[in-house]
Amino acid sequence: MKKVLMLLVLFAGCQMAWAEQTFNKADLRQTMRRVADWQIAHIGASPHGELNWVNATFYLGLTRWAEIAEEENGDESYFKWLRRLGARNYWQVEKRMYHADDVCIAQTYLDLYRKYKQESMLIPTVARTEWVMEHPSSGSFNLSYSDASTLERWTWCDALFMAPPVYARLYVLTGDKKYIRFMDREYKETYKQLFDTEEHLFYRDRRYIGQKEANGQKVFWSRGNGWVIGGLVEILRVLPADDKKYRPYYEALFKEICGRIRELQQPDGFWRASLLDPESYPSPETSGTGFFLYGFAYGINQGLLPKEEFMPALEKGWKAMLTAIEEDGKLGFVQPVGADPKKVSREMTESYGPGAFLLAGSELYQMASNDLVLNNLSADRVREIAAMLPDKPQGIGVTYKDRKYWEAVAAMPEAQALVKEARESMEKGMPPFVDSLYLHLNKTGVRLPGENMMNARYQYVFRLSLAECIENKGRFVPAIRKGIAELCAQKPWSIPAHDRNLNNYYGRDYYVDLVVATSGNSLAQCLYILGDKLPAETHALAQCAFREKVFRPIFRCLEETKPFYWFTVRNNWNSVCLAGVTGAALTLLTDKEERAYFVAMAEKYHHYGMEGYPDDGYCSEGVGYYNYGFAAYVTLREEVCRATNGQIDFFCLPKFVRLAQYGKNIQIQNNICPAYSDCRIGLAPADFITDYCARALGQETSPARYRFPSMTDNLSLHLIYLFPNPAWPVNMTSEMKKALQETAAPLHSRWPLANIFISRPAPDSECRMGVSFKAGHNGESHNHNDVGSYTVAVGEETLAGDMGGPFSYPGDYFDNGSYKYPIKNSFGHPLPVVDGNLQQTGKSAQGKILHTAMSQTVDSCLLDLTAAYAQTTSLRQLTRQFVYDRTGKGSFSIEDRYSAEAPIAFETAITTRASWKTVGKDMLELTSGKETVRIRIEASAPVSFTSETIEVNCPPYTRIGIVMKDKARNGYIRMVMM
């Protein structure tokens, strides 16, 4: 992704902000990990062989980073990757016997040998070097690529990095001085042939002696001299500090060249491809810069270079290097393979560039501070949380290796169906990313084409991942790898509706939305449960994509700009996004402090989402969003409890108890719930949530039930269904125990702050009718203008009342003017129309409760709806009275009574998906399935009936208008359902 340079400078810190001291360890770890992962993920794209010097330089830098990762994070993955590399090549070096480049990889082998002491790591290198020493070349130093003999000595300055450190290592490992004598003799011959004593720099090879740059200066190549400095560091790193025979020469040369290089640093901190003619090569060059910084940092650490002189150059150079790193970890401005200064651009990279970067970073790490400085979260709290976390990241689920578990899952019919579906999906291939579908919303305002396309791509990978764990035959792995690679290469992870400025689509600046968070977490869980079924390169590629699209955007918005709006919003976005981001971090991030940052983030911001629920525990967004938003909160709570061993629990408050009981108490009867707000008709609270909450509260102790997640829903919010470790038990306080007792009411449930009522028939009674009614206000999240709405259930059918929200949102559903939709305004609800006016929007449009009475037989409530119709200036008062009688077969009446200063038109309505007809003059009959209800209409004056079908991205329903034929100052309409 291309970034404006100033933005890159601003956002250069990786996961932790700069402390007063330029270098801090937390920042360095994240930066080095990011660069290392990107190169591992893309090493297969290199046209050079695995043993080639281009890649060998990266391996050496990776070895240094691997030491830090293992020591600080217990992360052995990088050493494992290097060992697999060596083992599959039998620890061989490249083929050309004399060529210095072809033994460069031996530096990594020998470092691994020093750590693991496996002879196989040493033998091929010893054989090659001994043969060369026993058959020394007498080739010319007049390098010519048409004459291979001129490449048998170290006739180009790059060679001083490639080969001499190998011989120095062998000398120290074996104690045999023949290695150091050979190295010293050959090195000094190269020095004599290529070193310019006036400029204190090395020519690349003898061909450049006498050549001039455009400004008349001698040609000294930046990376060529970087190779020399890097090679000197590698020699000095292993030579004994008390060596008097060889070390002084290399120390002196190191100081001499570093002194000259420091003078040639450019004002922006970089060095250019040509050291003496930077104007001809104005772009930064990072491979040479990286090696120079490696030398400076080593020299300062070892006391070879004066800190007061070299530290400013080191700091400036490192900050400059950070601006060349893309969000995903790619290091740019690396001059391609060559022998002299050439033009370089931002998109250019080669693996030796990241190698030099990691070498420099490993030396900087030794001088870095342990300080953790943050602008938003508490650094002390992050450290405290880090101490609570396990050494290794952990996902929600069970990895494929637990065959006993997965064999039990495989026995489920749903699992077998999924495997079959996965095979069919794999045959068709991953659904393509279609640009026109993503852009469809911006052009037409229609959401579904783009959303469906995005979701199908995610679901393809999720489906195959679960199928592979179930089947465990490896047949899905190639397709999963390819699918993950495609998702990582896909710039937007968000849906089009949340990317209207197309910043995500073009990769300009990533915004983490609901889908990025949840689908990202789902992908993270797939990576976790598949584990080593996927190669390290796939895991590294995913790490890069997550840093680019999830973790770094989150860190930037919290620490450097301003939090995304969902951090402080009081609706489902808060819980869903926090659960997704935190879950992915706990699953993927090896660094404990980095993981702890995201837990601290959740700890600080999760209460905003909870504030969206009144303290009485009602979900104003509706049952569907309870299943979505509260399920996410459950997931977040469980993720954090497991990670911190219960030391952080977001459920320890009475409000949670009431929220936990919502799923049970919102049900009228037979799993029927009122479809208020944007709830789809027919939805009920998820069994898993009610079961989980019961277990957390200690109400349920039976074995956990396994539920197979639906592939039509978001996987990350349902994985706990499939991996039902018992819910982390809540440490119940006396206040929580009291709240638990207060919420138990079999005949009626009430949420006094939200003013929502549920009235049920008595158990084993003749009555088969249950109802819900509400007061509320019109300023809720996912608001419908529905003050005074109700729902009537008979048996297992919803016969009348609120018909809920759309099944999918129109493109402008959340825009200004969206109340044109009758499903959202009060016209599509069972509510009055007063003198042609619908209800107003906003909190001021509220229902005021004038009287309530709840008993064993009759429940009643009188509401004042006047404020909801404030634009009707002549209206004095509008009341609605609900009376539910559970005696006999049961009845429910709704009476609207109004008074006005002048005659007004008035009508009320019944909304239903039932079949309906008139039965006599003032009687309606509704039928759905086997259930029938009759509605007697009583009014202060004659009424007429109207009928209108409403269909807004939902199954159609009927609005039956009951219209007063004449205007009047006072009147009433009473509907009695029985």
Side-chain angles (χ1 to χ4, degrees), residues 356-368:
F357 182 90
L358 294 175
L359 289 169
S362 67
E363 282 296 325
L364 290 173
Y365 198 78
Q366 296 182 36
M367 64 177 70

Side-chain angles (χ1 to χ4, degrees), residues 665-668 674 747-749 751 757-760 771-772:
N665 291 336
I666 196 62
Q667 299 182 52
I668 301 172
L747 292 186
H748 23 65
S749 300
W751 288 268
F757 301 81
I758 303 286
S759 293
R760 305 179 184 90
V771 302
S772 172

Side-chain angles (χ1 to χ4, degrees), residues 377-608:
L377 302 183
S378 164
D380 290 340
R381 183 55 177 163
V382 170
R383 286 269 165 84
E384 289 173 358
I385 294 173
M388 304 175 190
L389 299 179
D391 291 336
K392 304 289 185 182
Q394 297 177 0
I396 296 172
V398 177
T399 72
Y400 80 94
K401 294 183 179 180
D402 187 342
R403 296 317 306 163
K404 183 178 180 181
Y405 170 81
W406 282 103
E407 286 166 6
V409 171
M412 300 169 66
E414 301 95 324
Q416 292 304 311
L418 179 131
V419 172
K420 180 177 181 294
E421 186 179 357
R423 289 198 300 266
E424 294 170 352
S425 296
M426 187 169 63
E427 290 174 2
K428 296 177 182 177
M430 185 172 185
F433 182 90
V434 182
D435 294 82
S436 61
L437 291 179
Y438 193 88
L439 299 173
H440 190 74
L441 171 71
N442 274 23
K443 295 178 179 179
T444 66
V446 179
R447 292 175 54 134
L448 282 181
E451 290 184 21
N452 289 343
M453 181 266 292
M454 296 290 286
N455 289 331
R457 288 171 60 78
Y458 293 127
Q459 297 296 344
Y460 173 85
V461 173
F462 305 159
R463 185 181 300 113
L464 266 60
S465 297
L466 288 178
E468 177 58 36
C469 289
I470 293 166
E471 195 179 70
N472 197 34
K473 294 180 180 179
R475 78 159 111 183
F476 296 107
V477 170
I480 294 169
R481 289 178 59 187
K482 183 179 178 182
I484 291 173
E486 286 194 31
L487 288 179
C488 292
Q490 175 184 302
K491 286 189 183 299
W493 282 7
S494 60
I495 58 173
H498 304 152
D499 187 28
R500 294 182 185 245
N501 58 14
L502 298 181
N503 281 338
N504 287 11
Y505 174 75
Y506 287 111
R508 292 188 293 247
D509 189 22
Y510 286 111
Y511 173 71
V512 178
D513 74 340
L514 295 166
V515 177
V516 174
T518 55
S519 296
N521 194 16
S522 299
L523 180 57
Q525 303 311 322
C526 290
L527 290 161
Y528 176 74
I529 62 177
L530 290 169
D532 59 9
K533 276 183 176 283
L534 300 176
E537 291 79 5
T538 297
H539 285 282
L541 185 65
Q543 289 278 357
C544 295
F546 271 91
R547 291 189 184 281
E548 179 183 35
K549 297 178 175 71
V550 183
F551 300 139
R552 286 177 58 74
I554 291 294
F555 178 80
R556 285 201 309 271
C557 84
L558 288 179
E559 299 297 331
E560 297 169 354
T561 55
K562 64 178 182 179
F564 294 144
Y565 107 100
W566 52 258
F567 276 99
T568 54
V569 77
R570 290 164 173 83
N571 63 30
N572 65 83
W573 273 70
N574 177 270
S575 298
V576 174
C577 291
L578 285 177
V581 172
T582 306
L586 289 170
T587 302
L588 295 179
L589 297 178
T590 305
D591 193 302
K592 289 176 69 172
E593 285 186 358
E594 193 176 5
R595 265 181 281 151
Y597 181 89
F598 289 95
V599 176
M601 168 198 76
E603 184 180 52
K604 177 173 180 176
Y605 287 104
H606 80 279
H607 70 88
Y608 287 98

Side-chain angles (χ1 to χ4, degrees), residues 137-144 147 149-157 159-160 185-195 202-209:
S137 173
S138 57
S140 169
F141 265 84
N142 293 316
L143 188 149
S144 171
D147 183 357
S149 68
T150 65
L151 296 169
E152 293 179 350
R153 307 284 296 278
W154 300 339
T155 54
W156 65 107
C157 70
L160 298 181
R185 181 179 71 248
E186 292 298 309
Y187 196 107
K188 288 176 179 176
E189 184 61 28
T190 302
Y191 170 86
K192 183 173 72 173
Q193 296 285 339
L194 302 182
F195 191 70
F202 274 84
Y203 291 102
R204 197 276 177 172
D205 57 67
R206 289 186 59 82
R207 295 175 301 165
Y208 295 93
I209 298 175

Side-chain angles (χ1 to χ4, degrees), residues 703-871:
R705 291 181 291 165
Y706 294 69
R707 298 174 178 84
F708 206 82
S710 169
M711 287 294 102
T712 61
D713 294 322
N714 195 288
L715 186 63
S716 73
L717 298 183
H718 303 283
L719 270 180
I720 300 180
Y721 293 24
L722 187 60
F723 304 121
N725 292 337
W728 203 276
V730 177
N731 184 15
M732 297 286 286
T733 64
S734 57
E735 292 85 356
M736 295 175 72
K737 293 176 181 177
K738 180 180 178 183
L740 190 59
Q741 294 174 347
E742 291 172 349
T743 57
L747 292 186
H748 23 65
S749 300
R750 179 182 178 183
W751 288 268
L753 298 178
N755 287 325
I756 306 295
F757 301 81
I758 303 286
S759 293
R760 305 179 184 90
D764 302 321
S765 70
E766 185 182 5
C767 179
R768 303 181 71 251
M769 176 186 289
V771 302
S772 172
F773 47 90
K774 63 171 292 189
H777 61 76
N778 288 339
E780 298 173 327
S781 179
H782 283 273
N783 182 67
H784 287 200
N785 287 350
D786 61 353
V787 173
S789 188
Y790 62 86
T791 297
V792 178
V794 178
E796 297 182 357
E797 302 287 341
T798 299
L799 266 294
D802 206 304
M803 293 292 102
F807 281 39
S808 65
Y809 296 121
D812 61 351
Y813 189 76
F814 297 106
D815 295 345
N816 292 332
S818 61
Y819 286 91
K820 65 186 179 186
Y821 292 112
I823 201 170
K824 192 169 185 178
N825 64 38
S826 62
F827 186 79
H829 292 77
L831 295 167
V833 177
V834 183
D835 211 23
N837 294 314
L838 303 179
Q839 289 190 1
Q840 290 187 318
T841 306
K843 288 187 176 181
S844 62
Q846 61 178 326
K848 181 180 180 181
I849 296 180
L850 302 178
H851 173 74
T852 59
M854 299 286 172
S855 71
Q856 296 295 105
T857 56
V858 178
D859 300 338
S860 65
C861 180
L862 179 63
L863 304 180
D864 185 341
L865 306 185
T866 312
Y869 298 88
Q871 76 274 41

